[in-house]
Amino acid sequence: MNTLLHIISNRRMTLVLAVSSAAVVGGIALRLGTTEAAPSREASTPAAAAAAALFKNVTTQAGVDFVHVTGARDAYWLIEGIGSGGAFFDYDDDGDMDLYLVQSGVFGTDNLTYHNRLYRNNGQGAFEDATNGSNADVPGYGIGCVAADYDNDGDVDLYVTRIGSDVLLQNNGDGTFRDATAEAGLGDDGFSAGAAFLDYDRDGNLDLYVTRYVHWSPTREVECYDPNGVRDYCSPTVYDAASNDRLYHSTGDGRFEDVTGKAGIAASKGNGLGVVCSDFTGDGWVDIYVANDQTPAFFWVNQADGTFVEDAAMRGAAFSGEGLAIAGMGLVSEDLDGDADYDLVVANIQHQSHLCMRNEGGFFEDVSQAWGFGGWGVPYTAFGIGLFDQDHDGAWDLFLANGAVNRIQEPYRPGHPFAEPNQFARLGLDGRFHDMSDEAGLMDMPFGMSRGALLADYDNDGDIDVLVTNGDGRPELLRNENATRMAWTMLDLIPNTGNRNAINARVLAEAGGKRYRREVKPHAGYLASNDPRVHIGLADATVIDRVTVTWADQSVESWTQLPINRHLRMRQGASPQFESSAGAQ
């Protein structure tokens, strides 16, 4: 099944496909009649790449010494290939991103040897291990986590998904956490994977959606073999589908109510991994999209009455354009074509294109081939995924964290049969993503069984860095070496009421004659939380003409004539606060 893995002598070659009833406007294929175009770069081909690598691996010098353990054994248990995850979040409220990494370990033991790690950002581009005494080092076979201030007390908390009971870690505000799982009404046993906080009923309190993968236990394991008769991991389809994902409604007093049944979530089953929440239909209510592994995806449409309807098939979001239920893993949603709808990109398994779906008023169209995913993205299996503007030119860039799920017969890295190179791509004027992995420096880095791709401006220099988590290995902290000197802004949104993290608040920035749309969505990707601040590359703009925020409560506020190259703290109803000098480029 891996015969295509080494046919990659020209990773950057893509096919030029015509897009019917469309025009190429602003660097992306748009339907005729679209009035607002997505900004695009002047050149996005390999010939335009900078001579220096775009990313530098600074894991060791930054003090991140974590090593993930899967507990892999000859039994080839399914759980060994799913993690690991982590979170960038500011747990001590000092203005920079700290780091939390989830450990798995050896299933069936007390796991005391293997525990999650908390790293405090020292504000000087490095991290210090703050695990001891923090109570954040919970035992158990961990998978992923999400970060948010669920109790609206001003401190960012953590929810850790695991095999067995999940854990809610409440931030005490003094550098420590407490296990609040039982009193919050959470911790349901199962095989949890992705999770996201959202306020689906707009009451100002963050609710919680948790994906469930399969019914699993050691007694449910079966033996599977590759075409050569060698023992290998099984497909999730040989196990029973997950009982259901879970939806928990916040009661506003630090507790949650399991509303999976009465909200309608129990109506569908699937092998859930990634989840992203956004108002995909444009009605002001947050919907939920779930990437399922080889079962149809879920698109839960918010009915604005506390219930959801699963409508993926009717809205074109359940399958690929070929009618396949893809191996959906990580996923992101951004306005890729500048039409004010949030589109989707879902990471997929090798031999299949990653799924790129254009949102047209809450209905989706598979544009994977037209947008360039049919060539360079096919040879590898991607889990982690991130969309951001690496060089601040105003156009989207894409990072993919790759790692095989079945043994590679001729490994890229000797002794590591699941290791694959990670990838980086740019969106070009032709409306297609082009592989720039060589220019990014990724092909010169050691390959791993990569899973998560966490995004953050960890060193507060104004550009987005990437931390890649690896199964059975160390993470890779990839510092962005952007040298373009183009303009940027980083917005920290702080509402007066409602969820303190402004999750799902929307931003429209206008600068240099262009418009940029963003949303506070820290839980996109795979098993992870990203920097919650809104980052925007502003190309050659010299000032931000206007920033308009639609808060989670649907109130709208605007600020004008804002400086570029600053971290701006945007407090609802107040003037922005910003640094006295520009950050590094």
Side-chain angles (χ1 to χ4, degrees):
M1 65 183 293
N2 295 310
T3 56
L4 293 181
L5 283 174
H6 296 282
I7 308 174
I8 56 169
S9 60
N10 187 1
R11 286 184 302 275
R12 290 171 282 186
M13 183 176 68
T14 55
L15 300 176
V16 178
L17 300 179
V19 183
S20 60
S21 302
V24 176
V25 180
I28 196 71
L30 302 177
R31 288 185 181 275
L32 291 175
T34 299
T35 58
E36 183 176 328
S40 63
R41 54 183 40 86
E42 290 302 319
S44 185
T45 61
L54 305 179
F55 295 95
K56 180 179 180 180
N57 190 333
V58 296
T59 313
T60 300
Q61 68 190 72
V64 181
D65 57 355
F66 177 82
V67 179
H68 181 261
V69 175
T70 65
R73 66 209 78 195
D74 292 338
Y76 287 89
W77 285 1
L78 178 69
I79 60 174
E80 297 163 0
I82 302 302
S84 61
F88 275 118
F89 72 127
D90 186 5
Y91 83 92
D92 53 1
D93 196 29
D94 64 353
D96 47 35
M97 291 294 110
D98 308 301
L99 177 63
Y100 188 74
L101 292 171
V102 176
Q103 183 62 276
S104 298
V106 179
F107 184 81
T109 71
D110 59 15
N111 230 28
L112 294 180
T113 303
Y114 311 102
H115 52 82
N116 302 345
R117 299 276 289 277
L118 175 68
Y119 291 90
R120 180 183 177 274
N121 193 322
N122 66 10
Q124 300 175 8
F127 295 89
E128 300 167 354
D129 193 332
T131 308
N132 289 342
S134 69
N135 300 320
D137 52 341
V138 291
Y141 198 96
I143 299 294
C145 69
V146 290
D149 184 5
Y150 82 92
D151 51 4
N152 281 337
D153 67 352
D155 301 310
V156 185
D157 313 292
L158 288 165
Y159 185 82
V160 182
T161 60
R162 305 191 301 178
I163 307 298
S165 175
D166 297 340
V167 176
L168 177 67
L169 294 174
Q170 184 183 46
N171 192 331
N172 293 321
D174 60 1
T176 67
F177 295 80
R178 59 183 293 268
D179 186 340
T181 313
E183 67 187 63
L186 298 172
D188 184 52
D189 283 348
F191 190 157
S192 298
F197 283 103
L198 72 158
D199 182 7
Y200 72 85
D201 57 354
R202 294 194 343 206
D203 65 354
N205 301 308
L206 286 177
D207 312 301
L208 177 65
Y209 189 99
V210 182
T211 70
R212 306 292 289 275
Y213 193 46
V214 298
H215 280 303
W216 182 88
S217 70
T219 61
R220 291 177 180 266
E221 273 294 348
V222 296
E223 292 188 5
C224 294
Y225 297 86
D226 71 11
N228 296 319
V230 178
R231 186 71 187 274
D232 207 342
Y233 288 101
C234 297
S235 163
T237 58
V238 307
Y239 304 86
D240 293 334
S243 56
N244 296 109
D245 293 345
R246 295 288 187 266
L247 179 64
Y248 300 97
H249 174 253
S250 172
T251 59
D253 59 356
R255 295 183 54 80
F256 292 85
E257 174 192 6
D258 188 339
V259 295
T260 304
K262 70 180 183 181
I265 303 301
S268 298
K269 296 181 180 181
N271 303 325
L273 286 175
V275 56
V276 67
C277 306
S278 183
D279 177 13
F280 292 107
T281 61
D283 63 357
W285 296 85
V286 178
D287 310 299
I288 303 169
Y289 184 89
V290 178
N292 288 319
D293 188 357
Q294 300 184 54
T295 53
F298 296 154
F299 181 39
W300 295 107
V301 179
N302 195 329
Q303 303 298 293
D305 60 0
T307 67
F308 291 82
V309 170
E310 204 293 289
D311 206 23
M314 293 297 294
R315 291 175 178 267
F319 306 96
S320 69
E322 291 76 31
L324 298 176
I326 73 167
M329 288 167 280
L331 72 163
V332 287
S333 70
E334 297 289 354
D335 182 12
L336 291 174
D337 55 2
D339 65 352
D341 291 326
Y342 283 81
D343 311 298
L344 286 160
V345 183
V346 188
N348 198 2
I349 200 169
Q350 63 184 34
H351 310 332
Q352 298 181 27
S353 168
H354 305 306
L355 182 60
C356 186
M357 292 187 292
R358 177 169 52 199
N359 184 354
E360 297 288 345
F363 292 83
F364 293 85
E365 175 189 7
D366 182 351
V367 293
S368 307
Q369 300 297 322
W371 286 11
F373 289 95
W376 58 268
V378 170
Y380 312 117
T381 292
F383 281 82
I385 184 170
L387 276 169
F388 61 107
D389 185 357
Q390 181 269 334
D391 57 358
H392 301 161
D393 68 349
W396 290 107
D397 302 308
L398 178 74
F399 191 99
L400 293 168
N402 298 327
V405 294
N406 294 108
R407 297 177 64 90
I408 300 173
Q409 295 176 16
E410 298 180 24
Y412 298 106
R413 182 181 174 191
H416 296 268
F418 303 96
E420 294 181 334
N422 297 320
Q423 290 176 291
F424 177 77
R426 292 200 191 280
L427 181 61
L429 275 173
D430 58 358
R432 300 168 63 82
F433 282 92
H434 295 265
D435 185 15
M436 304 288 286
S437 302
D438 279 327
E439 289 74 12
L442 301 181
M443 307 310 293
D444 295 324
M445 297 181 186
F447 302 163
M449 189 175 76
S450 297
R451 290 299 182 252
L454 286 61
L455 306 181
D457 180 12
Y458 85 93
D459 50 4
N460 276 343
D461 67 350
D463 52 35
I464 297 298
D465 313 292
V466 183
L467 184 134
V468 179
T469 63
N470 292 303
D472 269 334
R474 295 186 63 187
E476 300 167 73
L477 180 58
L478 306 181
R479 188 178 65 201
N480 190 339
E481 299 291 278
N482 174 32
T484 64
R485 312 299 296 181
M486 291 186 182
W488 56 272
T489 187
M490 196 92 170
L491 309 177
D492 186 8
L493 303 185
I494 305 174
N496 284 334
T497 60
N499 80 79
R500 295 288 294 268
N501 300 125
I503 290 175
N504 290 121
R506 295 194 172 193
V507 173
L508 171 62
E510 301 170 72
K514 299 177 182 178
R515 312 180 87 192
Y516 306 88
R517 295 184 183 274
R518 300 289 189 272
E519 185 177 21
V520 180
K521 263 193 309 269
H523 307 138
Y526 183 73
L527 307 180
S529 271
N530 303 306
D531 193 330
R533 298 172 296 182
V534 174
H535 175 266
I536 306 174
L538 300 171
D540 56 358
T542 58
V543 68
I544 305 173
D545 301 310
R546 180 183 298 271
V547 168
T548 301
V549 175
T550 301
W551 297 95
D553 63 5
Q554 301 303 295
S555 64
V556 180
E557 189 170 10
S558 292
W559 295 265
T560 59
Q561 299 301 297
L562 300 175
I564 61 170
N565 300 346
R566 299 289 194 278
H567 288 82
L568 303 177
R569 177 159 287 195
M570 316 291 287
R571 188 178 297 276
Q572 189 174 11
S575 299
Q577 298 175 332
F578 51 89
E579 295 175 346
S580 59
S581 60
Q585 298 291 307

